[in-house]
Amino acid sequence: MKKASWLFKRLDLSLRTEVIINISLLMLAAILLIGFTTTKTNEKNILQEKTKNAEAIVQDIQTFFEFVFRDRKGLTLNHPIIKEEIQDFINIYNKERNFYNLIITDSDGKVIASNKQQWVDRNFKPLLLERSMKSNTREIELEKGNGLWIPEYRKLTISSPLWIQKKMVGGVLIELPLSDMMRRLIEYQRMFLTLIILDSIVLIVFGSFLLSRVLVKPVKELVSLTKKISEGNLNQTIEVHSNNEIGQLISSFNRMIEQLREKQEKIEKHLESLELANKKLKETQEELIRSEKLASIGRFAAGVAHEVGNPLGSILGYTSLLASEGVDKETGKDYLKRIEKEIERINRIVRELLNYARPTKFEIKEVEVNQIIENTLSLLSYQKSFKNIETRLEFQPHLPPIQGDESQLSQVFMNIILNAVDAMPQGGTLRIKTEECIVGNGFSTKFSEGDRLVRIKFSDTGIGIKQEDLKKIFDPFFTTKDPDKGTGLGLSVSLRIVESLGGEIKVESEPGKGSTFEVYFPVSQ
Ligand SMILES: Nc1ncnc2c1ncn2[C@@H]1O[C@H](COP(=O)(O)OP(=O)(O)O)[C@@H](O)[C@H]1O
Ligand SMILES: [Mg+2]
């Protein structure tokens, strides 16, 4: 069976074919078994009948013997009258039945009468006859050849002693042909074979039809349903037609689908609420970024006011000079040019400040890091506290672009630079270096070896960060500054922005010497 199922697997047969093949094999085995036993019984019955026949013939001859010797007590078997009567009897008998041989001998083995005239008066004692006369019983022998289904029966030989008043006087040997029996058996066999074929066809057709209705169809329905389910369609069930195992299977399957559907609905609801929460979180984050930006604007707007104040003062001076008398045309022109320059400066400052402060639409695209840093620095340059800080820029020319939003990136750089400025109240040096680098072994878990990154390195010579604070500086609201100077939001917001762009921030610091912030972004592909 294991072999058979392996074969079915190999042949990739459908359930219907498999069922039909199995039924046919079973049916064939059953029919062959029944056929074999009935043929054997039949064969045995015919043989028994034949044997009984042979025994009846012997009995007839014995009775005839008794009859012949009834009034002739003095005569022997060899007496011509007796011989003649026996021969007559055999001749009549032979006409009725067909023998191969029929021989009657006296006790010495001399043939008294036979259906073959040439044997009469000869000495003839076949082995079987001799044995039966010796044992004083009947002996039967069957001669048969080999056959496929039933042996090929040739003849039946029966020998028996003959008695007259219980005294053995001779013997009889009869050989009966079995060809008629063979004919009957073969005929029977042929009929049987025809029946097998007819039965098989009928049974296979009906069997497969019935089985298909009971088994194959529901299973096929189940299979197509599971296919639909695996494709995500949970809106279907199968009708239950019966209460048997298949019916139960289908009902439990239907129940399973029902439960799956309920679970799916629950998951979908859950997902919806998760999405909502996520959306809210994002909104809050954006708000946080915006409020941090506003806070930083507020702080350096104060610094800018001073920047705007200076040119305004000069403008006022020039206008009063212009208003006074005795200014020649040439000098007047010069004053006006200076006034124009100062106004231009104010205009630029205000425009840049507005540029930074204006809530822009968040948009991720390919951007040039060097350019954004330059813009940010130019905005910061109006800060009073920036005045005594030396900035050294080492920009890699033709730095590959990255993916990001310009105003958000500017916010990040602004935070880091402002922190550095805050850390150098007495002045110092701020180095900003940009370059492309390739990720090496063990650089971080975020990038894989060989990734191309843009690195922006901000190094200051400020007060540095205490070892125990290093872990906390990215926490929201962690600040070491006075409440009017720091919110503690700058780095946490910056980190969020950098990470949202797939980047990373690294910090190194030595208290009293300075800090280095490294920002990494993947190169835009
Ligand atoms: N370059 C730096 N040098 C020294 N300390 C720094 C530097 N950058 C950040 N810090 C520390 O990290 C803290 C958090 O910075 P940040 O999140 O920007 O908030 P804030 O600047 O409002 O305090 C700062 O208060 C400061 O103690
Ligand atoms: Mg800050």
Side-chain angles (χ1 to χ4, degrees):
M1 207 58 223
K2 211 174 176 184
K3 232 180 179 171
S5 64
W6 172 83
L7 190 69
F8 288 154
K9 231 182 196 169
R10 273 293 293 268
L11 290 176
D12 202 16
L13 294 177
S14 72
L15 186 62
R16 186 194 294 268
T17 329
E18 223 172 289
V19 164
I20 291 175
I21 291 176
N22 276 322
I23 289 183
S24 314
L25 286 178
L26 267 176
M27 212 78 88
L28 200 72
I31 289 173
L32 282 181
L33 201 69
I34 294 168
F36 187 74
T37 39
T38 40
T39 319
K40 280 287 160 197
T41 321
N42 208 23
E43 179 189 333
K44 209 174 118 198
N45 285 343
I46 297 178
L47 260 182
Q48 252 171 12
E49 185 194 314
K50 277 273 157 191
T51 316
K52 260 191 200 144
N53 251 347
E55 278 174 341
I57 296 167
V58 170
Q59 194 55 49
D60 279 356
I61 293 170
Q62 176 66 43
T63 314
F64 178 73
F65 255 56
E66 299 275 357
F67 171 76
V68 167
F69 279 96
R70 200 182 43 180
D71 303 323
R72 297 162 174 156
K73 297 233 163 67
L75 301 183
T76 61
L77 263 183
N78 282 301
H79 194 281
I81 297 177
I82 302 265
K83 270 169 86 174
E84 204 182 298
E85 275 189 24
I86 293 173
Q87 186 61 50
D88 281 349
F89 174 75
I90 283 169
N91 285 348
I92 295 165
Y93 219 98
N94 195 39
K95 257 183 218 159
E96 268 174 38
R97 295 168 197 244
N98 238 337
F99 303 110
Y100 276 146
N101 290 313
L102 194 157
I103 300 162
I104 294 174
T105 65
D106 66 6
S107 49
D108 298 327
K110 198 177 125 205
V111 178
I112 301 292
S114 169
N115 63 337
K116 305 234 166 84
Q117 207 59 51
Q118 67 268 26
W119 284 355
V120 178
D121 289 337
R122 281 209 211 156
N123 251 337
F124 183 61
K125 211 172 194 180
L127 221 78
L128 193 72
L129 184 59
E130 202 171 349
R131 217 166 56 212
S132 110
M133 283 167 79
K134 226 180 234 166
S135 63
N136 204 12
T137 50
R138 274 178 201 162
E139 295 274 347
I140 294 174
E141 203 176 66
L142 262 177
E143 192 187 309
K144 56 184 175 184
N146 289 330
L148 187 68
W149 183 277
I150 37 177
E152 189 201 340
Y153 290 105
R154 294 196 193 111
K155 64 180 183 187
L156 176 97
T157 314
I158 182 165
S159 314
S160 172
L162 290 169
W163 301 277
I164 297 170
Q165 281 163 359
K166 304 218 166 96
K167 192 175 156 254
M168 191 179 75
V169 291
V172 58
L173 180 126
I174 304 167
E175 285 180 354
L176 285 169
L178 289 179
S179 47
D180 60 327
M181 168 182 167
M182 271 322 282
R183 221 176 301 122
R184 271 164 69 189
L185 280 176
I186 285 168
E187 217 166 82
Y188 181 82
Q189 220 176 347
R190 202 168 294 146
M191 187 184 76
F192 178 74
L193 265 175
T194 331
L195 270 180
I196 281 187
I197 293 167
L198 280 179
D199 277 5
S200 307
I201 291 170
V202 169
L203 284 176
I204 287 168
V205 168
F206 273 95
S208 53
F209 169 73
L210 285 178
L211 257 170
S212 171
R213 218 184 54 183
V214 174
L215 204 76
V216 179
K217 204 173 143 233
V219 169
K220 266 194 173 163
E221 276 181 359
L222 262 180
V223 169
S224 79
L225 187 65
T226 43
K227 263 191 198 145
K228 277 187 190 141
I229 289 172
S230 69
E231 282 160 10
N233 182 352
L234 289 180
N235 294 324
Q236 230 154 13
T237 48
I238 307 179
E239 237 176 276
V240 184
H241 292 294
S242 72
N243 213 8
N244 59 15
E245 282 85 346
I246 296 259
Q248 287 167 16
L249 179 66
I250 292 175
S251 331
S252 63
F253 208 81
N254 285 342
R255 261 200 311 282
M256 195 186 78
I257 294 173
E258 187 64 37
Q259 282 170 0
L260 263 177
R261 200 186 301 141
E262 276 169 22
K263 289 233 167 79
Q264 204 187 28
E265 272 164 20
K266 257 189 207 162
I267 288 174
E268 268 165 14
K269 266 194 200 133
H270 205 72
L271 245 161
E272 245 169 56
S273 68
L274 267 179
E275 261 166 21
L276 205 77
N278 204 19
K279 206 174 142 204
K280 269 194 185 150
L281 191 68
K282 255 204 176 132
E283 280 170 6
T284 320
Q285 272 180 12
E286 269 164 27
E287 215 154 289
L288 187 70
I289 291 175
R290 238 176 290 133
S291 56
E292 198 279 336
K293 189 169 166 182
L294 280 177
S296 69
I297 290 167
R299 254 181 299 133
F300 79 75
V304 170
H306 169 78
E307 269 313 288
V308 177
N310 277 350
L312 272 180
S314 336
I315 291 171
L316 263 177
Y318 288 129
T319 45
S320 57
L321 277 177
L322 273 174
S324 64
E325 267 161 55
V327 180
D328 59 68
K329 218 176 172 185
E330 213 45 38
T331 324
K333 252 187 188 167
D334 182 48
Y335 285 167
L336 277 176
K337 244 192 199 132
R338 281 168 198 243
I339 289 173
E340 201 185 345
K341 234 176 155 185
E342 294 298 342
I343 289 176
E344 238 169 43
R345 195 164 161 218
I346 293 171
N347 189 30
R348 206 173 62 240
I349 292 170
V350 172
R351 214 176 42 236
E352 281 179 11
L353 183 61
L354 279 178
N355 254 351
Y356 178 74
R358 191 189 301 130
T360 51
K361 225 176 152 213
F362 178 71
E363 183 190 12
I364 291 200
K365 56 179 188 198
E366 230 169 53
V367 291
E368 302 287 339
V369 168
N370 289 348
Q371 190 57 49
I372 296 175
I373 296 175
E374 253 166 30
N375 292 347
T376 313
L377 279 173
S378 122
L379 187 64
L380 282 167
S381 61
Y382 313 118
Q383 286 284 307
K384 197 177 154 210
S385 49
F386 212 74
K387 286 275 157 16
N388 44 4
I389 282 166
E390 184 191 347
T391 45
R392 286 197 199 147
L393 305 181
E394 292 170 49
F395 287 173
Q396 178 184 311
H398 314 299
L399 191 68
I402 65 164
Q403 289 286 333
D405 172 71
E406 239 178 277
S407 85
Q408 281 196 345
L409 284 171
S410 168
Q411 195 178 343
V412 171
F413 301 144
M414 173 87 76
N415 276 325
I416 294 173
I417 296 169
L418 278 178
N419 279 345
V421 173
D422 284 345
M424 300 182 285
Q426 313 302 322
T429 313
L430 171 66
R431 277 180 57 209
I432 306 178
K433 187 176 176 181
T434 63
E435 64 189 334
E436 185 189 348
C437 65
I438 306 284
V439 176
N441 194 12
F443 171 75
S444 92
T445 49
K446 192 159 201 161
F447 307 111
S448 21
E449 213 176 318
D451 280 359
R452 288 172 68 208
L453 303 178
V454 165
R455 168 170 53 203
I456 308 124
K457 195 169 167 183
F458 302 87
S459 312
D460 66 55
T461 53
I463 53 172
I465 306 164
K466 277 188 260 167
Q467 188 65 35
E468 67 258 34
D469 286 348
L470 260 181
K471 276 186 249 118
K472 298 184 252 168
I473 55 170
F474 291 102
D475 293 348
F477 306 112
F478 174 81
T479 181
T480 54
K481 298 169 194 170
D482 291 340
D484 60 324
K485 287 201 94 182
T487 58
L489 283 174
L491 283 180
S492 89
V493 166
S494 300
L495 183 66
R496 185 144 303 146
I497 292 172
V498 171
E499 283 185 339
S500 79
L501 297 173
E504 193 173 327
I505 303 182
K506 286 188 172 193
V507 194
E508 272 171 30
S509 184
E510 209 177 308
K513 288 216 163 145
S515 320
T516 301
F517 282 73
E518 287 177 334
V519 189
Y520 294 89
F521 291 105
V523 165
S524 167
Q525 296 304 323

